[in-house]
Amino acid sequence: MDLTWREGAVREGAIRSRSGSRAVVRSATRLKVTSDGRPVRVRRPEPGVIVFDTARGATYRLHQ
């Protein structure tokens, strides 16, 4: 995981999936997720939480 912060909030980041399991990210900033330049479907089970399925070896970009 690699994150860039600005004024106490995540600005952007990258997550590389090692196992191909579900990712859960908590952030006060509303983030979008892409992989290979394409949007990734996320669920927002509660405010400040995003959940998405990953594929083993894929990289996911988080951004505002």
Side-chain angles (χ1 to χ4, degrees), residues 3-6 8-13 27 29 31 62-64:
L3 300 174
T4 301
W5 296 82
R6 184 174 185 179
V10 174
R11 179 92 171 144
E12 61 184 1
S27 174
T29 306
L31 297 171
L62 309 173
H63 48 93
Q64 294 182 341

Side-chain angles (χ1 to χ4, degrees), residues 26 43-50:
R26 294 182 184 276
R43 294 176 295 288
R44 298 181 190 276
E46 61 186 82
V49 176
I50 58 173

Side-chain angles (χ1 to χ4, degrees), residues 15-51:
I15 297 173
R16 182 168 175 91
S17 178
R18 290 185 180 174
S19 63
S21 59
R22 181 173 294 150
V24 179
V25 178
R26 294 182 184 276
S27 174
T29 306
R30 187 169 176 90
L31 297 171
K32 297 176 186 173
V33 182
T34 58
S35 181
D36 290 329
R38 295 183 299 255
V40 173
R41 185 181 191 138
V42 301
R43 294 176 295 288
R44 298 181 190 276
E46 61 186 82
V49 176
I50 58 173
V51 178

